[in-house]
Amino acid sequence: MDTNGAHQAFVLADVLQAMLTMRGGDSDKKERATKYLGEFQKSTAAWAESINILKSNADAADKLFAATTLKGKITFDLQTQVPPNEILAVRNQLLELLQLYASGPKPIRVQLCVCLAILAIQMLEWKDVLPVVVSSLGNQVQSHACILDFLRVLPEEVTEGRKITLTEEELTQRTTELLQDNAPQVVQLLINYAQSSPEAASNPQLYECITSWLREVPVAEIIRSPLLDFIFGALDTDRSLQAAAECISTIVKETREVDENIDTIQVLLPRVLSLRPKIQKFAEEEDVDSFKALTRVFSEAGLAWAVAVARETTHFRPLVEAILECAARDRDRDVIDNTFEFWYELKQLLVLDRYIQARVELVDVYSKLVDILLQHLQFPEPESGNEKDMFDGDREAEEKFREFRHHMGDTLKDSCEVLGVTDCLTKVLDAIKIWMQKYASMASDTNVPHWQKLEAPLFAMRALGRMVDRDESIVLPQLMPLLVQMPSHEKLRFATIMVLGRYTEWTAEHPEFLMPQFNYIVASFGTSSKEILQAASMALKYFCTDCKHLLSEQVVQLQQFYEQILDKLPPISQEEITEGAASVVSVQPKDQIYKLLKLFCEPLVQRLMVKANNATDHDGKLAVADHLQLITIFANVVVTLPPVEKGEEDPAIKYWQEVFPILSKILTSFLDFSPICERVCRCWRLMVIAHRGAMAPILPAMANELAGGFANSRQGCFLWVTGAILREFSDDREHVEPAMTENIYAFFEAQATNVLRFLSNLTPQELPDVTEDFFRLVVDGLLYYPQKFIPSPLFGPIFEAAISVLVLEQREPLSATLHYIRDVLAWGSSYSPSSNEHLSPPVIEQLKVVVKALLVSQGEMLVKRILAGMMITFPGDCFADASGALLTLFEILPQQTVVQVDSTLRMLPSGTVAPAEVDRLIRKIKERLNANDASDVRQIRSLMQDFTNTYRRRYVAPRDGLGQLEGSRFRFNG
């Protein structure tokens, strides 16, 4: 049967040459070779040529490519390219190839085993798969590896493999025949093999095979069989240790339902605990891989049996202690992360009232765990003695350690929930006191001995911040005075600042500690360390946010400090201290707001104008965009609350009215520089959202700027603000005058008309960002003004534009467009959107009629575009929305949609789908529709997704376009 590339002749020598080119360095030639090989893999010639390569003396890499190609052919092309009477010949050729590659190379052998497994799934008439494969490969020693590989991949391909072209019923039946029915014979085969020789008993393939079949074989059968002794015995041999450990881990995972597997667990527990002496052995031998595998066994057992540990703590405590020992003996932090999930899951149970006794019995274990974690949290002492490079130049190790510390911080929080905050903080306090007693007298401005032992408890305290209540009054009052006395060391100051920033909510409730901490943060801005400056900026933001009422009397001094320090900071830190300053201004008396906004923002506006005047290059313009962020923060945070009375002037809006012309001037001056346009629009958008109805005096001027800005620049950011205005001034808002909503809706229609004209002149591919922003805007129009929007002359053209946009392949604009389409469809379904709550039933019914009429006229094109997208062009993230839209169409217009789906699928390029496949799909859809059951109708979505996924995996977009499925240009005459 014809497929993409089927008409092209492929010569074996050319295929081999293309593979040789792929291993070369010429990127252009590699690109052409990639395209050629892709076409080859989809051709009918690939069947014979792949087998020829595998039987030739070609390089191993070429043979692996051939085996991989064969796997793809069997997966996707068996039904469409191989006549039914020739499938048996394909099976026999695969068995011959497996005999040829029984002794290796392993990658090729495994690919061929996968090929045979996928073929077995599809050969419904092949009932004796296991006997045929075993007898064909023979009983020679070299064949055993091949048989084990096949047995290992078979369950993986059946349960995790692609559905290929089988129906759900066929796949279920085949799963039963290949797995459940064969499970007893497979277990016996594995027992016979394990008993055949010591070499077989230590073969890792044996244990990989057992692991694969554990999903199909009841774990109790393995436990009762001789295989259990072999599995645990395999841990004594380096060759099989990793595979055996993974096998045991899988076995214990299968016993997670404790009540159903209690007898099995009682057999396994002593066997697992018997491995405990190996912990010390592997740790002392520094056998990291074995230590890690063993830790994983203990941790998986703990995870699986966590409920049993909580119920019968005394009986299972040795297992918990073994996991703790793994953590304690892990000097280089190689294995402890394997235990974190266990400590979390056990904690989740221990904090429940029903397991309070278990919590009491295991408190000491968690207490020891905290001590272990405090040790592991310490930075290493560099071998070179250079404290500025503690990882001796290994940046990967440094990054891994930093990430690792945060994971340990999570486990500290888990321990804290079991122990209680007081006990955990006391450990932190004790660690700091011990350091003070031992080393404080030896510390100087240039040298702090063993600072790592002091920094670790500080990091732990920071990690515990979320767990500590604001009213904690036992340990923190002792700790806080110590923090501001930390020795002068960059790491210690950084850690202290981060702690203080984490506990600002507590400080707000204990104002006597505020000023020493605040002064410590302010003093930290005198350093030259970028890391400390960034930390101090973040901490200052939290102090000003959480303690804003306490700091309100210092607002003028804060402005002086803000003005002094601002230009010394990087942009992100500038934004953080600006957010803090704005928070303090926001709680000032209403009659002070205007004056304080002017005090803080006037210098910012002056800087902005200077930067704008000097912005002649790209970097200068970016500096303007960055600085606009600071003004935006004040506009968003400083809001007059409670709102002023009607007729009274809002002090914040009074100030922004003065600034608005300056922002407008900057916008019009830099319409060709999108970052500045986006920042100004973001400022206005957040202003609208924050100040809501108070924005009314600025809206007319803002609407003019938005309309002119979009018309002259065609940038989507102007549509963001339009959407915010729509939301805040919609019909159902109490504070909005009817005349205002009419004007705003008219503004929306004007913007939409501009965009439609624009889309009519360009293709969606030319400016996908604007397309995305537009359809996010019309989603808002439909949500907040349905009674005006749906009957309007623009409703139909916008829907046609949406259909035309579905030719795109980028996720964001497609997602926005599909969301709009789904929202429109919802108005035609029996479940109307929640936005209709303020509308009367007759109005709702009238809107439904309009939507259904639109779908009758546009449904065929919509179905065509959605199916073309799902089968060929859409990214995977859009499938859920696309199939959801199709499902709604089936609910609204079932008969029409079935016909349209049928006709669309028959437009697919010749040879890419068999007519019988389309017939089968349409028959199943009709069965679901005729069932008169909502759940059956919803299954249509799965049917369509399975069909389009299968098609998509099998074919790529044809080189000569999509034929009858090609999208058409949108035209608008309004």
Side-chain angles (χ1 to χ4, degrees), residues 660-670 705:
F660 188 83
I662 298 171
L663 296 179
S664 300
K665 176 66 175 173
I666 288 174
L667 180 67
T668 53
S669 301
F670 293 96
E705 294 296 336

Side-chain angles (χ1 to χ4, degrees), residues 242-535:
Q242 296 293 330
E246 183 62 30
C247 187
I248 296 170
S249 296
T250 305
I251 287 172
V252 297
K253 283 180 189 175
E254 293 295 319
T255 63
R256 278 173 295 194
E257 297 298 329
V258 170
D259 292 329
E260 298 174 12
N261 294 284
I262 193 64
D263 294 337
T264 301
I265 292 171
Q266 295 299 355
V267 173
L268 285 172
L269 180 62
R271 301 297 294 262
V272 171
L273 291 177
S274 70
L275 304 175
R276 188 171 177 182
K278 293 181 183 291
I279 298 174
Q280 182 177 353
K281 175 178 181 291
F282 292 149
E284 290 178 350
E285 293 175 355
E286 298 185 0
D287 184 348
V288 174
D289 291 339
S290 299
F291 190 13
K292 190 176 292 186
L294 188 64
T295 302
R296 196 164 61 248
V297 168
F298 283 118
S299 297
E300 290 291 355
L303 265 174
W305 305 335
V307 172
V309 174
R311 289 177 183 171
E312 301 178 45
T313 308
T314 303
H315 185 60
F316 283 88
R317 183 183 172 102
L319 176 61
V320 181
E321 290 176 341
I323 299 170
L324 184 71
E325 184 181 350
C326 289
R329 292 189 181 276
D330 182 22
R331 288 194 297 269
D332 296 321
R333 309 177 190 89
D334 293 315
V335 308
I336 189 173
D337 58 328
N338 287 289
T339 72
F340 290 163
E341 190 177 356
F342 163 72
W343 299 117
Y344 168 77
E345 291 294 341
L346 183 58
K347 177 269 298 184
Q348 291 287 82
L349 295 167
L350 296 182
V351 296
L352 301 176
D353 290 342
R354 75 176 74 170
Y355 297 124
I356 186 65
Q357 183 57 41
R359 180 176 178 179
V360 171
E361 292 182 38
L362 292 174
V363 156
D364 65 314
V365 173
Y366 274 90
S367 179
K368 292 173 184 173
L369 177 61
V370 172
D371 295 334
I372 292 167
L373 292 171
L374 284 173
Q375 287 292 320
H376 284 312
L377 283 172
Q378 291 181 22
F379 273 98
E381 299 203 7
E383 295 178 8
S384 64
N386 179 10
E387 287 197 353
K388 292 186 177 180
D389 190 3
M390 290 171 290
F391 295 86
D392 298 319
D394 190 341
R395 292 290 158 260
E396 185 179 346
E398 182 175 2
E399 186 58 36
K400 183 179 176 183
F401 175 72
R402 291 180 188 277
E403 183 181 347
F404 181 65
R405 295 224 299 175
H406 288 288
H407 290 311
M408 282 196 285
D410 291 336
T411 305
L412 262 176
K413 290 194 272 280
D414 296 333
S415 305
C416 185
E417 288 194 61
V418 176
L419 289 179
V421 168
T422 300
D423 284 354
C424 277
L425 285 178
T426 299
K427 286 182 177 290
V428 170
L429 177 61
D430 290 343
I432 292 174
K433 284 182 175 178
I434 289 171
W435 186 93
M436 294 282 191
Q437 291 166 4
K438 285 186 176 181
Y439 307 112
S441 61
M442 301 160 57
S444 67
D445 289 343
T446 56
N447 180 48
V448 180
H450 302 290
W451 61 266
Q452 293 92 338
K453 296 180 184 296
L454 185 54
E455 193 274 345
L458 290 174
F459 182 91
M461 184 179 175
R462 170 186 163 194
L464 294 172
R466 186 173 58 84
M467 313 298 298
V468 181
D469 292 333
R470 299 179 185 185
D471 57 358
E472 203 287 327
S473 58
I474 299 172
V475 186
L476 285 182
Q478 301 176 64
L479 266 169
M480 289 302 180
L482 296 178
L483 296 183
V484 295
Q485 301 174 36
M486 285 292 136
S488 178
H489 185 282
E490 183 174 336
K491 292 289 185 187
L492 295 177
R493 180 170 281 274
F494 175 82
T496 303
I497 291 170
M498 297 301 285
V499 170
L500 295 177
R502 182 61 65 90
Y503 284 81
T504 49
E505 291 184 357
W506 181 89
T507 302
E509 298 295 320
H510 300 79
E512 65 272 24
F513 295 97
L514 172 61
M515 291 320 295
Q517 294 179 30
F518 191 73
N519 291 335
Y520 184 90
I521 300 297
V522 169
S524 299
F525 283 94
T527 182
S528 59
S529 165
K530 291 181 180 179
E531 195 174 42
I532 288 179
L533 282 176
Q534 290 172 348

Side-chain angles (χ1 to χ4, degrees), residues 39 74 88 141-142 265 270 281 341 351 410 584 615 617 753 787 820 826 871 905 941:
E39 292 166 353
I74 295 170
L88 185 62
V141 173
Q142 61 266 32
I265 292 171
K281 175 178 181 291
E341 190 177 356
V351 296
D410 291 336
V584 177
D617 58 9
T753 302
Q787 76 284 9
Y820 173 69
M871 289 187 288
L905 294 179
R941 185 176 188 172

Side-chain angles (χ1 to χ4, degrees), residues 178-188 213 216-218 221:
L178 292 174
L179 301 185
Q180 285 93 318
D181 294 351
N182 278 326
Q185 297 95 297
V186 170
V187 171
Q188 192 55 54
W213 277 85
E216 313 305 327
V217 178
E221 290 188 22

Side-chain angles (χ1 to χ4, degrees), residues 716-734:
C717 56
F718 295 96
L719 305 180
W720 306 345
V721 194
T722 306
I725 294 172
L726 273 184
R727 288 191 293 275
E728 296 303 328
F729 294 88
S730 58
D731 274 345
D732 59 339
R733 297 285 193 186
E734 294 178 1

